[in-house]
Amino acid sequence: MPADLPDPESDRELRSLLASARDVTRVAEPGPPEASYEIASSIVVERCDLLIAVWDGTSAGVRGGTAETVAWARAMDKPVQVVWPAGARRGVTVAPVPVG
């Protein structure tokens, strides 16, 4: 879990989740929060046998975001199951980025 999350002692829901967890790994990467998310995502991919991603299929280009995590898992030949949330929109138009 990235270190920039609320203090578990002050967040009842997070405290409950942590109490239910078999294993908790804290990540404290210097720099912007995205750096911790990127490290946390890579740890999840390394440790998983199957990645289950709750994802609307879009890429926000965020380091350690769902799109990047799914891409890492696929690059490592890990099976990926994507769960589409109710109301998720597919086919969001993104302006093409010129190449070259």
Side-chain angles (χ1 to χ4, degrees):
M1 74 183 239
D4 71 331
L5 289 177
D7 177 12
E9 297 306 314
S10 65
D11 185 315
R12 184 183 333 178
E13 184 177 4
L14 182 56
R15 214 172 38 245
S16 174
L17 289 170
L18 289 171
S20 300
R22 185 176 54 167
D23 182 36
V24 175
T25 301
R26 287 188 173 264
V27 176
E29 184 70 19
E34 293 83 9
S36 289
Y37 294 130
E38 186 175 48
I39 297 294
S41 293
S42 68
I43 291 169
V44 167
V45 170
E46 287 173 11
R47 292 181 180 180
C48 77
D49 295 315
L50 164 69
L51 179 70
I52 300 173
V54 180
W55 182 36
D56 65 2
T58 62
S59 175
V62 177
R63 288 175 55 191
T66 307
E68 190 173 76
T69 305
V70 167
W72 286 335
R74 288 178 174 155
M76 293 180 67
D77 292 326
K78 300 276 185 151
V80 176
Q81 178 65 54
V82 176
V83 178
W84 298 97
R89 298 180 313 167
R90 292 185 180 185
V92 176
T93 305
V94 177
V97 176
V99 178

